[in-house]
Amino acid sequence: RSDYSIEESKVVFKFMTNRYDYEREIKWRKELCNEDSKAVIKDDILPILSHLDPNAIDGEIDKKYAEERVGVRFKAMPLYSKDIASGQTIDLTVYPYALVFPYAAGGTMQDSMTRGTLTPSEAKLCAYKMGLVLDELHQCGLVHGSFSPKNILAFFEGEKGEEHLKLGGLSSVTPMDQDMYKQGAISAGGKCLFDYTALTPEMFMKVNTTQLQKYNIYWQLVREIEGVTISEEAIKPRFDPITSETYVLKCYCNHEKAMALNNYLPYDLASFDRTVDVWAFGVLLFTLLSGGESLFQPNQRTGRVTSMELLAKWDANVAESIVSQYIPDLAAQDLLLHILVPKEDREKLSMK
């Protein structure tokens, strides 16, 4: 028919192993982005075009997906995973759930910073826009919990192709009034449910010999119960050869069986509240204003990194030393020194 046409649009499939994370991504979009929602950030959240569950018995699309995800067409797709080396085959049967997102032509903010330093106006727009989104989430009584450049995506919209930033990564969104979910969770499958690039200072701890022994016993018991391989990057103690001090991340396994072992942990778990987002926002500002440096991961160009030992001792003096080293602008220094503070001081701040 001459009056019939199909408009093609690029999309991105996100294949997932964890049903809980899959359901949370859907749940929070339904609550924040539905027509009756009072949230004003509907257009600033990365939308889901479709969600696919091969175990669903009612949906025809889900049934078709269950058949085709093990077929030739899916195997031919360009697949990427940060957990799998380049060139390795990805077995999609291990990733039963899928979310379909619109393709972000501008990539992630992480992509932009990898390609080169953002202009001052681009950095200012990103910080302003994302600050408003986080503030609105907090007004709704929610903590994002995984706020980082890789979860900020750039779309080009309208006739002029104006850039519009959207926030994704909603599987970590958590109500502020809960007390069960803590920072540093590792799933029963061994996956770290946190972002290394925005860990708060309270996640780092110096341990003595007795505490280290309890720590090692805990993770050995977790391995025996769950029968999984836990990321060594997350749980391996860091030894400082200069001071002979040992440091660990305050991680834990969030599976029901493993939670019964929490008395073996030599530390109290770090709370999961809005101060987590405030810190992550400060980390983003630091990266934007420093030309790509990070408080945690080594810069790809310089290799410099802030040590775990320094983060465990984080205070005003440590913050001033690092910020003044990488941020030349005095006004920007003052702003960061107001945000990148210990938890008790961040509790007095809001995104406004």
Side-chain angles (χ1 to χ4, degrees), residues 16-28:
M16 308 177 72
T17 59
N18 190 291
R19 184 177 185 85
Y20 180 66
D21 288 347
Y22 166 79
E23 292 177 341
R24 282 164 68 90
E25 290 271 12
I26 299 169
K27 165 187 167 65
W28 292 120

Side-chain angles (χ1 to χ4, degrees), residues 84-98:
I84 298 177
S86 176
Q88 281 189 300
T89 302
I90 299 176
D91 182 7
L92 287 182
T93 60
V94 182
Y95 301 81
Y97 312 104

Side-chain angles (χ1 to χ4, degrees), residues 207-217 264 266:
V207 292
N208 57 34
T209 303
T210 302
Q211 291 170 325
L212 181 60
Q213 185 178 28
K214 290 187 67 176
Y215 178 84
N216 289 330
I217 290 173
Y264 282 95

Side-chain angles (χ1 to χ4, degrees), residues 220-238:
Q220 180 59 40
L221 290 172
V222 168
R223 289 189 185 96
E224 291 175 0
I225 289 177
E226 303 298 344
V228 297
T229 301
I230 306 294
S231 169
E232 286 298 319
E233 179 66 22
I235 65 173
K236 182 180 179 180
R238 267 69 160 185

Side-chain angles (χ1 to χ4, degrees), residues 95-227:
Y95 301 81
Y97 312 104
L99 301 173
V100 185
F101 301 104
Y103 173 73
T108 67
M109 188 54 59
Q110 184 67 54
D111 295 333
S112 297
M113 291 188 292
T114 300
R115 289 192 295 265
T117 305
L118 274 68
T119 66
S121 59
E122 290 173 332
K124 182 178 179 180
L125 176 62
C126 174
Y128 175 73
K129 187 69 174 180
M130 290 300 106
L132 291 177
V133 175
L134 284 181
D135 181 54
E136 180 63 22
L137 279 176
H138 294 174
Q139 293 296 320
C140 293
L142 300 172
V143 179
H144 185 275
S146 187
F147 181 78
S148 70
K150 71 178 183 181
N151 283 327
I152 302 172
L153 297 98
F155 292 81
F156 300 110
E157 302 175 344
E159 294 181 359
K160 297 182 179 180
E162 296 180 348
E163 186 179 72
H164 187 170
L165 299 178
K166 296 179 184 285
L167 183 62
L170 301 195
S171 61
S172 297
V173 170
T174 304
M176 289 185 186
D177 58 3
Q178 65 84 39
D179 190 49
M180 181 178 70
Y181 191 64
K182 305 291 185 180
Q183 294 185 64
I186 295 179
S187 73
K191 178 185 176 184
C192 296
L193 305 179
F194 53 86
D195 194 324
Y196 285 101
T197 62
L199 290 171
T200 60
E202 55 268 24
M203 275 290 293
F204 302 86
M205 177 184 175
K206 181 176 76 172
V207 292
N208 57 34
T209 303
T210 302
Q211 291 170 325
L212 181 60
Q213 185 178 28
K214 290 187 67 176
Y215 178 84
N216 289 330
I217 290 173
Y218 169 81
W219 286 112
Q220 180 59 40
L221 290 172
V222 168
R223 289 189 185 96
E224 291 175 0
I225 289 177
E226 303 298 344

